[in-house]
Amino acid sequence: MTVSARLADFVAASRWEDIPAPARHEAKRALLSYFGTALGGSRDIATQHLLQVLSRFSGPAEAGIIGHQLRLDMLSAAFLNAAASNVFDFDDTHDPTIIHPTAPVAPVLFALAEHRPVAGRELLHAFVLGVEIECRLGNAVSPEHYARGWHITSTCGAFGAAIAAGKLLGLVPRQLVWALGSASSQASGLVETLGTMAKSVGVGGAARGGLFAALLAQQGLAGPDEPIAGPRGFAHVTAASPDFARLTNGLGESWEILANMIKPYPCGVVLNAVIDAAMVLRQRLGGKLADIAQLEVVAHPLLRQRTDRPAPLSGREAQVSAHHAVAATLLHGLPGVDQFGDAWVGREDVIALRAKVYLVDDAAMPVGAVRLSAQTTDGRLFRVEIAEARGSRSHPLSDAEIEQKLRRLCQHGCPGLDPAPLIDAVWSLDEQADAGVLMRLARP
Amino acid sequence: MTVSARLADFVAASRWEDIPAPARHEAKRALLSYFGTALGGSRDIATQHLLQVLSRFSGPAEAGIIGHQLRLDMLSAAFLNAAASNVFDFDDTHDPTIIHPTAPVAPVLFALAEHRPVAGRELLHAFVLGVEIECRLGNAVSPEHYARGWHITSTCGAFGAAIAAGKLLGLVPRQLVWALGSASSQASGLVETLGTMAKSVGVGGAARGGLFAALLAQQGLAGPDEPIAGPRGFAHVTAASPDFARLTNGLGESWEILANMIKPYPCGVVLNAVIDAAMVLRQRLGGKLADIAQLEVVAHPLLRQRTDRPAPLSGREAQVSAHHAVAATLLHGLPGVDQFGDAWVGREDVIALRAKVYLVDDAAMPVGAVRLSAQTTDGRLFRVEIAEARGSRSHPLSDAEIEQKLRRLCQHGCPGLDPAPLIDAVWSLDEQADAGVLMRLARP
């Protein structure tokens, strides 16, 4: 039996009852984060450009765009919501692969749910399965796939979207393999595009391509028997030595969604501990930032290698600048999308404070830990140590913090919308008769 | 200056006057072949599945589908015409890379030409440039790219389509680099899908993706500075040691369209000489096929390795079966799409004649040459030798033969259409004020 057929059989046979409660709950947390980041990104310039072009070619207005009144055809809506939810890289992250698992998968399901009634648990079930295959595929081709230059969210996302859509459409195993085949014909996305708007073309394309693949399979469009593990299939072509055991071992026993992390801050995850430390320091300093003479960040050399950017010139660069992270957090408190945007990067007070930050290596410290010290002009020393950042798997955001994240992102991208009913509807999604309700609640 | 910027500058600065007459003529030959194969493939089952799904999501009916009354939005029309024109693998082939160069590029230009008036020479010019960048990119990543498993027509096709559309849209160099960036986010297509309908998803996606990329760039959607030659750009990610000199050396001096070949037969090109030989043999035998005892095909071992399939079970397999090629040609004469279709594969007379064919290696013979011998039941021997097949670069089809190919394909896929006005219009394309006329002539 081929690897692709085993995955298809598992997905087709899976029942809602098979999904354990922790996985169901984690799925809701991911969806809450999804609506938050999609609302937050709904007015971003990349989102707007994509919306302009896609709406010009859209078919029937059957599926909503989160944070907009506008409705587009399912394929275009899936594209746009995927792109918007990932545009700030503030969406959830699958720890072992750094896939953003929800962006390509969730929009496909909600587009289908607006087209015909889908029960909340049907959608949640398909979502968990889509994420499962997407992330297992990521496991199988990691770490070489990303290291070589593949934007793993976009590439593996197309397969996750195809599986999720296929499950919701009730495809039989043979059709699910075909869907994987047509997904393999579209899987794309390069690391080279990260930090530019073209990244969003890959992420949107993963959602659209996956949905298209499932619809084609439903129509009868056949593909190869082994699109994933065949000699010229996706895995071998994009990674020299894929590990197929990681795709198929323990299917239905372990759940990849449980390895999902919700980001607390809209920047590179390596900066999470830095910001945690700056939050504590800010409280200790009681707002007396003018007294600061210098700010020392001590960490494993990896932090310096990735984030030593004393003078970022754009929001994109600031998102991987430890100097900016410290300065913006001290000045503002809990940093949001604005604090990692172009305007904040150019503020005089930010620039002045950033100039006082420097990084020091300590190879003896564990990766992820940070020691932040502030020395004041009158010689006092404040020191904060963070052993493990918020948002990591062992230190996850609370449900309330994810709600808070959604509210703040909604305020940023779609201030006209009251997010409270949407938040409630996500938590009760498994009881909803019509999952499409959530899209109406995400419409201003 | 980056590689991507050099390509963009070249394309933006190029004038119609810069295109030498032989390249212009070769472009028309390619377009004639394009309309032929698209007409021939217009009713194929894969085309029909794609059409069913895409028309359900199509926006404004602004661009035609070759061989159909139906009109769809530009993106969907570009997808469908690309897929249909390549569905039989009977379209033109760029010799050094085996890219089918026209399928992803031409449909994009004709879709644009139906949307706003485009002069024939404008279209031809953009077509030559799109093919140029597409094939040079293919040269730069060959042979590793295809050997690794990338369907080079689909992957490089997206860039060619983006450049061609960008030229027609009048994009400035910076925008052309952006278009290459968004093309890089969509470039996909696997060799594993060849021989299945999922192949067409890749080829259609290349045309659609390239057009989408150019429209996004026009809208202002930015991308990386070096989507092609950057460290995580397309070339390095899909080939370990790309040769960028092959992308940029001699731009404007040599023209890749001159390395284009028009296929005489709807099967693997390695069988061209076999069919040439069988055509001659058929004439010599004067139709007395019942007398044949055995048919010996002598060639370089490469032919046997690729085409030793005594009993193919499907049209797809027959397309790479020397036994079928000999039998079908002897029985029918000049073989068309039908003779390599499922029905012919199962015919009793074909099966009987196929059983008499066997292959013999002769390592001393040049690759591409064939010696075909028929021995009759009464002991006579007929021998035909072909040194170089029709359709090769040194033995190209004549213009009249390409016209004939179009007529036969039209008869196969769209018998209600009179192809004569279309043929005339392609030959006079550089004099046409409105290139969109051709699409109306390709409509039944």
Side-chain angles (χ1 to χ4, degrees):
Chain A
M1 194 176 206
T2 66
V3 168
S4 299
R6 286 178 66 182
L7 299 179
D9 278 4
F10 165 70
V11 169
S14 172
R15 300 162 308 154
W16 169 244
E17 296 70 38
D18 302 334
I19 313 293
R24 296 178 187 184
H25 187 69
E26 206 56 51
K28 290 183 194 173
R29 286 163 52 91
L31 291 178
L32 208 60
S33 164
Y34 165 69
F35 279 102
T37 56
L39 284 165
S42 64
R43 296 255 165 347
D44 178 79
I45 182 72
T47 310
Q48 287 184 35
H49 286 328
L50 292 166
L51 195 147
Q52 282 294 322
V53 174
L54 280 175
S55 55
R56 147 126 181 56
F57 298 104
S58 177
E62 62 195 358
I65 309 303
I66 293 172
H68 291 264
Q69 290 283 343
L70 185 77
R71 289 163 69 79
L72 298 178
D73 70 71
M74 283 201 287
L75 294 173
S76 301
F79 186 112
L80 270 169
N81 288 322
S85 73
N86 168 266
V87 72
F88 299 139
D89 284 313
F90 197 8
D91 45 336
D92 54 341
T93 309
H94 177 246
D95 191 17
T97 59
I98 69 160
I99 288 175
H100 296 293
T102 302
V105 177
V108 159
L109 297 173
F110 283 105
L112 285 167
E114 288 189 274
H115 183 245
R116 64 168 179 87
V118 168
R121 61 182 58 182
E122 245 191 294
L123 187 144
L124 266 177
H125 186 196
F127 175 66
V128 170
L129 293 173
V131 168
E132 188 66 20
I133 303 306
E134 171 187 38
C135 294
R136 280 175 171 265
L137 182 55
N139 290 339
V141 296
S142 289
E144 192 194 352
H145 183 80
Y146 191 95
R148 198 186 266 187
W150 290 107
H151 184 219
I152 193 166
T153 294
S154 300
T155 53
C156 294
F159 296 91
I163 285 293
K167 179 67 179 176
L168 214 52
L169 292 168
L171 300 190
V172 299
R174 193 177 58 143
Q175 292 172 313
L176 286 170
V177 173
W178 293 348
L180 290 172
S182 284
S184 83
S185 292
Q186 302 174 81
S188 188
L190 298 178
V191 172
E192 191 75 28
T193 65
L194 300 191
T196 81
M197 297 189 227
K199 171 201 71 169
S200 298
V201 179
V203 177
R208 182 192 182 280
L211 176 54
F212 187 43
L215 292 165
L216 288 172
Q218 187 182 41
Q219 181 72 33
L221 193 125
D225 289 337
E226 186 53 295
I228 288 180
R232 294 289 176 269
F234 174 77
H236 285 298
V237 172
T238 64
S241 34
D243 180 358
F244 295 116
R246 302 199 65 192
L247 252 172
T248 51
N249 280 3
L251 271 171
E253 289 159 24
S254 65
W255 295 91
E256 293 302 317
I257 189 105
L258 297 176
N260 201 23
M261 305 182 298
I262 310 293
K263 290 177 79 167
Y265 313 120
C267 57
V269 284
V270 287
L271 291 177
N272 285 358
V274 175
I275 294 171
D276 284 351
M279 290 281 282
V280 177
L281 182 62
R282 182 170 191 265
Q283 216 163 14
R284 295 249 192 97
L285 288 169
K288 292 186 184 144
L289 303 182
D291 298 347
I292 294 175
Q294 54 184 33
L295 290 153
E296 184 185 75
V297 180
V298 185
H300 186 276
L302 220 55
L303 184 78
R304 185 185 47 74
Q305 288 160 23
R306 293 185 179 176
T307 67
D308 189 17
R309 285 185 184 75
L313 296 172
S314 67
R316 305 268 179 200
E317 275 189 72
Q319 286 164 28
V320 280
S321 160
H323 309 70
H324 184 83
V326 170
T329 305
L330 289 178
L331 282 163
H332 181 78
L334 181 63
V337 171
D338 287 335
Q339 282 68 50
F340 283 98
D342 291 344
W344 262 72
V345 171
R347 273 173 55 151
E348 279 187 25
D349 53 352
V350 177
I351 293 171
L353 198 54
R354 228 159 39 199
K356 297 179 181 172
V357 180
Y358 63 95
L359 304 190
V360 174
D361 286 353
D362 180 352
M365 283 175 74
V367 174
V370 157
R371 196 159 59 232
L372 172 63
S373 307
Q375 194 155 8
T376 61
T377 44
D378 57 5
R380 284 170 301 148
L381 187 72
F382 297 81
R383 173 173 288 183
V384 177
E385 235 177 297
I386 299 288
E388 198 161 30
R390 290 169 70 233
S392 64
R393 274 168 80 183
S394 53
H395 196 165
L397 293 198
S398 69
D399 291 354
E401 284 173 321
I402 303 175
E403 292 183 16
Q404 165 75 349
K405 176 178 169 179
L406 184 149
R407 277 191 290 269
R408 282 165 54 99
L409 283 162
C410 181
Q411 183 61 31
H412 172 82
C414 191
L417 181 79
D418 172 13
L422 175 61
I423 292 171
D424 291 344
V426 174
W427 288 130
S428 61
L429 182 54
D430 45 345
E431 307 304 327
Q432 304 270 357
D434 175 8
V437 165
L438 275 68
M439 291 302 293
R440 294 194 278 284
L441 296 174
R443 195 173 174 181
Chain B
M1 195 174 205
T2 66
V3 168
S4 299
R6 286 178 66 182
L7 300 179
D9 277 5
F10 165 71
V11 168
S14 171
R15 299 162 310 155
W16 170 244
E17 296 72 37
D18 302 334
I19 312 293
R24 296 178 187 183
H25 186 70
E26 205 56 50
K28 289 182 193 174
R29 287 163 52 92
L31 290 179
L32 208 59
S33 164
Y34 164 70
F35 279 103
T37 57
L39 284 165
S42 65
R43 296 252 165 350
D44 178 78
I45 182 72
T47 309
Q48 286 184 34
H49 287 328
L50 293 167
L51 195 146
Q52 281 293 323
V53 175
L54 280 175
S55 54
R56 145 125 183 57
F57 298 105
S58 178
E62 62 196 356
I65 310 302
I66 292 172
H68 292 265
Q69 291 282 343
L70 185 77
R71 291 162 68 78
L72 298 178
D73 70 71
M74 283 200 286
L75 294 172
S76 301
F79 185 112
L80 270 168
N81 288 322
S85 72
N86 168 265
V87 74
F88 299 138
D89 284 313
F90 197 9
D91 44 335
D92 54 340
T93 308
H94 176 247
D95 191 16
T97 61
I98 67 160
I99 287 174
H100 297 292
T102 301
V105 176
V108 158
L109 297 173
F110 283 105
L112 286 167
E114 288 189 274
H115 183 244
R116 64 166 180 85
V118 168
R121 61 182 58 181
E122 244 189 295
L123 188 145
L124 266 177
H125 186 196
F127 175 66
V128 171
L129 293 173
V131 168
E132 187 68 20
I133 302 305
E134 171 186 38
C135 293
R136 280 174 170 264
L137 181 55
N139 290 338
V141 296
S142 289
E144 191 195 352
H145 183 80
Y146 191 94
R148 199 186 266 186
W150 290 108
H151 185 220
I152 194 165
T153 294
S154 300
T155 53
C156 294
F159 295 92
I163 285 292
K167 179 68 179 177
L168 214 52
L169 292 168
L171 300 190
V172 299
R174 193 176 58 141
Q175 291 172 311
L176 286 170
V177 173
W178 292 348
L180 291 172
S182 284
S184 83
S185 293
Q186 302 173 83
S188 188
L190 298 179
V191 172
E192 190 73 28
T193 65
L194 300 190
T196 81
M197 298 189 224
K199 171 200 73 170
S200 298
V201 179
V203 177
R208 182 192 182 277
L211 176 54
F212 187 43
L215 292 165
L216 288 172
Q218 187 182 39
Q219 182 72 31
L221 193 125
D225 289 336
E226 185 54 293
I228 289 180
R232 295 289 175 270
F234 173 77
H236 285 298
V237 172
T238 63
S241 33
D243 180 357
F244 295 116
R246 302 198 65 191
L247 252 172
T248 51
N249 280 3
L251 272 172
E253 287 158 26
S254 66
W255 294 92
E256 293 302 317
I257 190 103
L258 298 176
N260 201 25
M261 306 182 298
I262 310 293
K263 289 177 80 167
Y265 313 119
C267 58
V269 284
V270 287
L271 291 176
N272 285 357
V274 174
I275 295 172
D276 285 351
M279 291 280 283
V280 177
L281 181 62
R282 182 171 192 265
Q283 218 164 11
R284 294 249 192 98
L285 289 168
K288 293 185 186 146
L289 302 183
D291 299 348
I292 295 177
Q294 54 184 35
L295 290 153
E296 183 186 74
V297 181
V298 185
H300 187 276
L302 219 55
L303 184 77
R304 186 185 46 74
Q305 289 160 24
R306 294 185 180 176
T307 68
D308 188 17
R309 284 185 185 76
L313 297 172
S314 68
R316 305 269 178 200
E317 276 187 72
Q319 287 164 28
V320 280
S321 159
H323 309 70
H324 184 83
V326 170
T329 306
L330 289 178
L331 283 162
H332 182 79
L334 180 64
V337 170
D338 288 334
Q339 282 68 50
F340 283 98
D342 292 344
W344 263 72
V345 171
R347 273 174 54 152
E348 279 185 25
D349 54 351
V350 177
I351 293 171
L353 198 52
R354 229 162 34 201
K356 298 179 178 170
V357 180
Y358 62 96
L359 306 190
V360 174
D361 287 353
D362 180 352
M365 282 176 75
V367 174
V370 157
R371 195 161 57 235
L372 173 62
S373 308
Q375 194 156 8
T376 61
T377 45
D378 57 3
R380 283 170 301 148
L381 188 72
F382 298 82
R383 175 173 286 184
V384 178
E385 237 179 293
I386 299 290
E388 197 161 32
R390 291 170 67 233
S392 65
R393 276 167 80 181
S394 53
H395 197 167
L397 293 199
S398 69
D399 292 353
E401 285 172 320
I402 302 175
E403 292 183 15
Q404 166 75 350
K405 176 178 170 179
L406 184 149
R407 276 192 291 269
R408 284 165 53 98
L409 282 162
C410 181
Q411 183 59 32
H412 172 83
C414 192
L417 181 80
D418 172 13
L422 175 60
I423 292 170
D424 291 344
V426 173
W427 289 131
S428 61
L429 182 54
D430 47 343
E431 307 304 328
Q432 304 270 357
D434 175 9
V437 165
L438 275 68
M439 289 302 293
R440 294 193 280 284
L441 296 174
R443 196 172 172 180

